[in-house]
Amino acid sequence: MEDNRKTVIIQEILYWKQNKMLPEHYCDYLLTLYTEGNRIEEEELPKQKEKQKQKQKHYISSAIFLLFIPITVGFLYFTELSFILQMAISLIFLIISAAGIYYYQVKGLGNDIPVTVAAFIVLLFSVKAVLEYFPEQIIFLYIILAINCIIWFWVGRKFKLIYFSISSYIGFLMIVLLVFMSFR
């Protein structure tokens, strides 16, 4: 049986035993059956519950980080806020993402989500800035996209995230194709 399901069943049996919902000898029999004869210490289960709570917190924080991307897109491209305010909001999200990267790294959690969110925010932030300051000069957009690709390559190597390295290669390829197509 799957370990997670066993853990839930064992927790329920211990709950029944503590609250006297079943006679104690029935609970002992069921515990022996589900632990396959290995006596489980009642102190181990709170640790397992704590791990499950940590996983839930991780999923929730990852979902919050992922929400930063559409919120940033909304603020940058679909609002009539001033350019400075748009950049300030993007910068706040970027700082929160950087703090998330640090926190996830210290806790030993997979920091894929905050790193990816930070990369998207930097990309959106830089493209918006170039389009604001140099709307008629496309070469600056190509340069800023190439810089983003270099950053992705470096991040892919530093954090051992293969999809960042692949994204940087694809990005460079797309930039080269766009440059060649624009000179036709």
Side-chain angles (χ1 to χ4, degrees), residues 50-61:
E50 187 63 32
K51 285 182 183 179
Q52 287 177 343
K53 285 182 184 179
Q54 286 297 100
K55 276 187 178 181
Q56 285 179 331
K57 287 180 185 178
H58 179 67
Y59 291 141
I60 290 170
S61 65

Side-chain angles (χ1 to χ4, degrees):
M1 187 183 294
E2 188 180 319
D3 287 338
N4 193 23
R5 287 181 53 191
K6 272 187 184 180
T7 303
V8 170
I9 291 171
I10 291 169
Q11 289 172 351
E12 284 298 314
I13 295 169
L14 287 172
Y15 177 79
W16 296 341
K17 185 176 179 180
Q18 285 176 339
N19 295 309
K20 305 206 184 305
M21 295 173 79
L22 282 177
E24 191 171 329
H25 62 280
Y26 287 168
C27 294
D28 290 339
Y29 171 75
L30 290 172
L31 283 172
T32 304
L33 181 68
Y34 281 103
T35 60
E36 298 172 355
N38 300 327
R39 188 70 185 152
I40 190 161
E41 298 298 323
E42 293 185 23
E43 297 86 39
E44 288 179 24
L45 287 175
K47 291 178 187 175
Q48 292 173 348
K49 276 188 175 181
E50 187 63 32
K51 285 182 183 179
Q52 287 177 343
K53 285 182 184 179
Q54 286 297 100
K55 276 187 178 181
Q56 285 179 331
K57 287 180 185 178
H58 179 67
Y59 291 141
I60 290 170
S61 65
S62 295
I64 290 170
F65 278 118
L66 286 173
L67 282 175
F68 286 171
I69 294 172
I71 291 171
T72 303
V73 168
F75 275 118
L76 290 177
Y77 296 103
F78 300 113
T79 62
E80 294 184 19
L81 297 173
S82 70
F83 177 72
I84 306 266
L85 189 56
Q86 290 175 340
M87 291 297 115
I89 291 169
S90 298
L91 189 61
I92 289 170
F93 287 157
L94 186 61
I95 290 169
I96 293 170
S97 295
I101 293 168
Y102 176 75
Y103 176 76
Y104 277 42
Q105 204 162 19
V106 166
K107 290 291 187 180
L109 303 170
N111 58 1
D112 296 358
I113 303 279
V115 169
T116 305
V117 169
F120 270 113
I121 291 173
V122 167
L123 177 66
L124 293 169
F125 183 86
S126 60
V127 167
K128 179 67 174 183
V130 167
L131 292 176
E132 181 72 23
Y133 289 115
F134 306 105
E136 298 297 322
Q137 298 171 332
I138 198 77
I139 189 71
F140 289 115
L141 182 61
Y142 293 149
I143 291 169
I144 206 70
L145 290 174
I147 290 170
N148 272 291
C149 290
I150 291 168
I151 292 170
W152 293 350
F153 182 76
W154 178 77
V155 167
R157 294 293 174 136
K158 178 166 176 37
F159 292 109
K160 295 178 179 60
L161 300 172
I162 189 73
Y163 57 88
F164 266 91
S165 299
I166 293 171
S167 297
S168 70
Y169 293 134
I170 292 172
F172 273 123
L173 180 66
M174 295 299 290
I175 292 168
V176 168
L177 288 174
L178 286 172
V179 168
F180 281 127
M181 289 175 66
S182 67
F183 287 119
R184 272 190 176 189

